[in-house]
Amino acid sequence: DTEVTQTPKHLVMGMTNKKSLKCEQHMGHRAMYWYKQKAKKPPELMFVYSYEKLSINESVPSRFSPECPNSSLLNLHLHALQPEDSALYLCASSFGLGLAGTDTQYFGPGTRLTVL
Amino acid sequence: QKEVEQNSGPLSVPEGAIASLNCTYSDRGSQSFFWYRQYSGKSPELIMFIYSNGDKEDGRFTAQLNKASQYVSLLIRDSQPSDSATYLCALPGEGGSQGNLIFGKGTKLSVKP
């Protein structure tokens, strides 16, 4: 089973709302990622968690707040977003952060976020 | 700053033909490379991972890596309309970790029936 699940599939929120995106995997992966993808652009890395600790933060604005409650779950808390934050938010996971083929990243289906 | 270059296309091939997708990279020290397929509105799906120089085959897909020339390619034999998608080339970013994959802009492939 190489499945990463994400909820919700679609989310519409106002600029003053607080919402959360959720990601889950049960493959025993110890690294989890958040990406942002705008239309016709490649995914852009936002955050990386390794063994439930934040490993990489790609200078993401503080209105995005990641959380890794346990090795299977990853959340992205959203607050005071801007319309330009509208995008597809992708979660991914991998066994580790190495260079082995087993450390390749598997993506979830994404959450389509629209900020009004 | 590592860079990955891909021709954005669209690349149009007839059904049954070989589709050839190319990717060049800037860092000579890069060691591993990935090809992801992304259908419109969907998430990226891993197609191939290649580490060694030469060819790696998986079904209709063949990845070719030439480290001396700093390019990696993906060949799709007997192309099908269902192969129509954007193909993303990626490699590990700074530090060599897969934790920060750098993606090319992707090549859009269209297979015509």
Side-chain angles (χ1 to χ4, degrees):
Chain A
D1 182 11
T2 56
E3 190 177 27
V4 178
T5 59
Q6 289 186 245
T7 56
K9 289 184 180 179
H10 301 275
L11 178 62
V12 180
M13 60 186 290
M15 290 190 283
T16 58
N17 292 157
K18 287 184 181 181
K19 298 286 185 183
S20 296
L21 309 184
K22 296 186 185 302
C23 174
E24 191 167 1
Q25 57 85 17
H26 295 288
M27 297 178 278
H29 289 177
R30 303 316 299 255
M32 297 186 76
Y33 313 75
W34 281 116
Y35 287 86
K36 173 183 177 180
Q37 187 175 25
K38 302 281 274 185
K40 300 188 188 303
K41 300 288 187 183
E44 294 177 31
L45 183 67
M46 300 174 73
F47 303 103
V48 180
Y49 274 83
S50 177
Y51 289 87
E52 300 158 49
K53 288 193 167 70
L54 185 62
S55 173
I56 295 177
N57 177 342
E58 291 286 0
S59 303
V60 178
S62 60
R63 57 186 184 268
F64 296 92
S65 176
E67 178 196 20
C68 189
N70 59 57
S71 61
S72 299
L73 292 174
L74 186 65
N75 298 321
L76 186 64
H77 303 298
L78 314 172
H79 173 54
L81 294 193
Q82 304 296 310
E84 59 264 30
D85 296 321
S86 298
L88 180 67
Y89 287 84
L90 295 162
C91 174
S93 71
S94 64
F95 276 110
L97 299 179
L99 294 175
T102 51
D103 291 328
T104 52
Q105 294 183 31
Y106 295 91
F107 285 83
T111 294
R112 178 74 60 187
L113 174 67
T114 302
V115 181
L116 300 177
Chain B
Q1 180 79 8
K2 294 185 181 184
E3 292 183 353
V4 180
E5 296 287 336
Q6 288 184 261
N7 186 329
S8 61
L11 173 66
S12 184
V13 300
E15 185 175 355
I18 295 176
S20 178
L21 305 160
N22 299 310
C23 171
T24 59
Y25 57 95
S26 62
D27 182 13
R28 187 171 291 277
S30 295
Q31 306 233 2
S32 52
F33 304 85
F34 307 83
W35 282 101
Y36 283 87
R37 176 177 65 195
Q38 187 170 25
Y39 292 112
S40 180
K42 302 295 185 182
S43 61
E45 173 192 9
L46 182 70
I47 296 294
M48 295 283 280
F49 162 80
I50 187 166
Y51 185 85
S52 303
N53 257 339
D55 296 359
K56 180 180 179 183
E57 188 174 320
D58 184 2
R60 295 187 297 112
F61 298 95
T62 299
Q64 298 176 320
L65 174 58
N66 185 321
K67 290 186 178 180
S69 300
Q70 293 177 235
Y71 79 79
V72 57
S73 61
L74 180 70
L75 301 179
I76 307 174
R77 288 182 301 281
D78 188 25
S79 295
Q80 301 296 309
S82 58
D83 295 324
S84 298
T86 295
Y87 289 80
L88 297 161
C89 172
L91 54 80
E94 297 305 322
S97 166
Q98 291 192 38
N100 54 336
L101 281 179
I102 295 176
F103 286 88
K105 292 183 178 179
T107 298
K108 187 172 183 179
L109 172 67
S110 177
V111 181
K112 304 294 187 185

